[in-house]
Amino acid sequence: MRRSLKVLLTALMALMLCLQLAVAEEHEEVTLCLYTENATNGANEARLAEFEALYPWIHVDLVEMPAGSTDRMQQLSTILQSHDSSMDVFIVDCTWPETFVSAGWLAQLDDEFTQEELSVFSEGALEGCRIDGGLYALPLFVNTGALLYRADLLEKYGFEPAKTWDELIEQSKVVMAGEENVYGYAAAWQQAEALTCCMMEHIWNAGGEVLDEEGNPDFDNEKVAAGLAEMKKLLDAGICAEGIMGMAAKDVRAALFAGQLLYARDWSVQIGNANNPENSSVAGLVKLAPLPTSGEEYTSYNCNGGWNIGISAFTEHKEEAVLLVKYWTSESAMLYNAILNDKMPARPALYANQELIDAQPDMAGMLELAENCKNRPNSAYYEEVSAAMQQATTDVLMGQKSIEDAIAVMQKTEEDIYSW
């Protein structure tokens, strides 16, 4: 029986090879160049092998870019500014699409994907791929803001993970009174991009937005004020880690991993590091929850820190490039990237995949985070938009301006930027 099965499998593999060769003979051989993630623990190789097996007439040259976003932006900009057709497909930070579209660097994809094909992606992540109603990229993976917490301390004091910021404050006061060298909360509030992410989460979770339905600046409103007030309340409550205004993400992690925090706002991907004994003194004790809101009537949203994938406007092989993008964002490819590379799928259905559950149990519980991620405000001048938001938030938290004065200045600044 086993011999017969082996013979049958060998025959089937031979038949599949013949079919692939026959299909390949019907197409002219094409080489695509994909600029993508680096150090993916085999995910790049697995995806590449599967894609080239599916489309044997297409060869893909992978260029693994540096890890840092700034270095990636510089590398891509240099190529795209010269209209170089040697790069066909590339990954895009979730804050870049409008900048790249304004420069004419991304090919429009509306005619390449059906609504059924698009419906499988996280709505929030997909929305960040649309500029002025046009589709210019697809979500590759998401990385969401989240609340990491000490499950052992919550259990000790009889608490469930805080659903509102008021609950977090009250729980923090109780735990801080009973534990030495433990602060209630920390987040990356240093004046940098992470502060923009935190600010947006507080605004969303107070029911607010910073752009109106036409995409115009609407920073001077009650909900934005409520979000900033919530941040100031956390600081004034005395439960934040000492020096929080100078904390970058690495500083928050260092405090959490050293056992000095009850709650930390960080990126969801850090749950693995928090529970890795090589990195953390509290390994096995940290869990993850959605971010608190300003009241139970509000939905918990989080900032998307993921990446998208798009096609160069200067490619000479758009038809083949579309096939590569479709595969690179497929269920199979996202599963490789999740299991081997710890990247959250941008397809919500994958969180119920048994292979993912077995390999990444922490990630398997992140469905709500993936579904409720939102994007920072689109702008071709995003860095300037973000800098104004950081300044206003810092002015409020440091007591240099009232909330009303800070958001009035921010509104005027953002109006000027959006009019460029």
Side-chain angles (χ1 to χ4, degrees):
M1 179 67 179
R2 289 183 178 178
R3 179 178 176 83
S4 300
L5 182 59
K6 185 175 181 181
V7 171
L8 178 58
L9 289 173
T10 302
L12 286 172
M13 290 176 65
L15 178 60
M16 288 179 64
L17 179 61
C18 290
L19 289 173
Q20 287 179 341
L21 291 173
V23 171
E25 288 176 359
E26 297 177 4
H27 297 81
E28 181 180 348
E29 290 192 3
V30 169
T31 296
L32 297 176
C33 185
L34 167 61
Y35 278 62
T36 187
E37 306 160 79
N38 67 327
T40 62
N41 297 316
N44 274 344
E45 291 76 8
R47 289 179 288 185
L48 179 60
E50 189 163 280
F51 175 78
E52 291 188 341
L54 289 170
Y55 304 102
W57 68 93
I58 305 175
H59 174 70
V60 180
D61 289 332
L62 287 181
V63 177
E64 294 190 346
M65 293 194 290
S69 293
T70 301
D71 292 335
R72 289 180 179 180
M73 170 65 94
Q74 183 176 4
Q75 186 177 28
L76 292 174
S77 298
T78 300
I79 296 169
L80 293 164
Q81 284 172 352
S82 65
H83 294 193
D84 188 343
S85 64
S86 65
M87 179 177 68
D88 300 283
V89 180
F90 56 91
I91 62 173
V92 191
D93 184 277
C94 62
T95 64
W96 296 350
E98 184 145 345
T99 300
F100 279 47
V101 170
S102 298
W105 293 346
L106 279 168
Q108 193 162 352
L109 302 176
D110 294 85
D111 294 338
E112 310 296 342
F113 294 88
T114 66
Q115 286 305 308
E116 184 178 358
E117 287 176 312
L118 297 177
S119 67
V120 301
F121 294 101
S122 162
E123 183 178 347
L126 185 63
E127 188 59 30
C129 297
R130 298 187 189 277
I131 304 299
D132 295 330
L135 181 70
Y136 289 90
L138 284 186
L140 184 61
F141 61 84
V142 295
N143 184 21
T144 70
L147 191 67
L148 277 66
Y149 65 91
R150 284 281 299 279
D152 60 319
L153 291 180
L154 290 190
E155 182 178 359
K156 178 178 178 180
Y157 290 91
F159 294 132
E160 295 293 326
K163 293 185 178 180
T164 67
W165 294 112
D166 284 343
E167 286 181 5
L168 184 145
I169 290 171
E170 292 308 310
Q171 291 179 7
S172 296
K173 288 179 178 179
V174 171
V175 173
M176 288 174 66
E179 303 290 327
E180 291 186 5
N181 301 318
V182 174
Y183 290 98
Y185 182 72
W189 283 6
Q190 183 185 80
Q191 193 167 336
E193 182 59 27
L195 180 59
T196 299
C197 299
C198 292
M199 174 193 180
M200 288 304 308
E201 289 166 346
H202 277 277
I203 292 169
W204 291 327
N205 293 345
E209 294 287 352
V210 297
L211 301 179
D212 63 22
E213 293 181 358
E214 285 72 44
N216 299 313
D218 184 22
F219 289 77
D220 194 353
N221 66 69
E222 292 181 358
K223 294 298 186 180
V224 171
L228 287 175
E230 205 72 75
M231 297 179 78
K232 188 70 163 63
K233 186 196 294 185
L234 286 169
L235 192 61
D236 292 345
I239 56 97
C240 292
E242 185 176 350
I244 189 173
M245 294 305 301
M247 281 183 132
K250 63 181 179 62
D251 304 310
V252 175
R253 286 163 204 158
L256 178 65
F257 297 174
Q260 298 170 354
L261 295 176
L262 175 62
Y263 287 108
R265 185 276 175 202
D266 203 347
W267 298 101
S268 53
V269 71
Q270 291 301 323
I271 188 66
N273 287 327
N275 286 317
N276 183 345
E278 295 182 6
N279 302 327
S280 173
S281 66
V282 291
L285 304 177
V286 181
K287 292 189 178 181
L288 181 147
L291 292 163
T293 66
S294 292
E296 293 188 2
E297 68 270 29
Y298 300 116
T299 300
S300 174
Y301 293 107
N302 61 78
C303 191
N304 180 24
W307 284 70
N308 306 319
I309 186 168
I311 296 173
S312 169
F314 313 111
T315 181
E316 295 176 354
H317 307 290
K318 186 176 181 182
E319 181 180 347
E320 291 79 11
V322 168
L323 293 176
L324 180 57
V325 168
K326 285 188 175 186
Y327 170 76
W328 224 252
T329 58
S330 68
E331 187 172 294
S332 176
M334 283 194 188
L335 196 57
Y336 283 129
N337 211 20
I339 292 174
L340 298 175
N341 197 28
D342 299 323
K343 302 298 186 184
M344 287 176 64
R347 290 170 168 255
L350 271 176
Y351 291 85
N353 181 284
Q354 192 59 51
E355 191 174 351
L356 177 68
I357 293 170
D358 292 341
Q360 297 277 13
D362 286 328
M363 189 182 295
M366 297 180 187
L367 174 60
E368 183 179 348
L369 297 174
E371 289 181 322
N372 290 342
C373 68
K374 300 185 77 166
N375 297 283
R376 284 156 276 180
N378 278 331
S379 172
Y381 303 98
Y382 175 75
E383 289 187 9
E384 290 80 3
V385 169
S386 179
M389 296 168 67
Q390 294 166 34
Q391 187 62 58
T393 306
T394 300
D395 287 343
V396 169
L397 295 177
M398 297 293 288
Q400 296 168 344
K401 282 189 175 72
S402 68
I403 292 175
E404 293 75 14
D405 289 345
I407 64 176
V409 171
M410 180 168 53
Q411 174 69 22
K412 178 62 169 62
T413 303
E414 301 294 7
E415 285 177 353
D416 290 342
I417 294 170
Y418 276 83
S419 68
W420 292 351

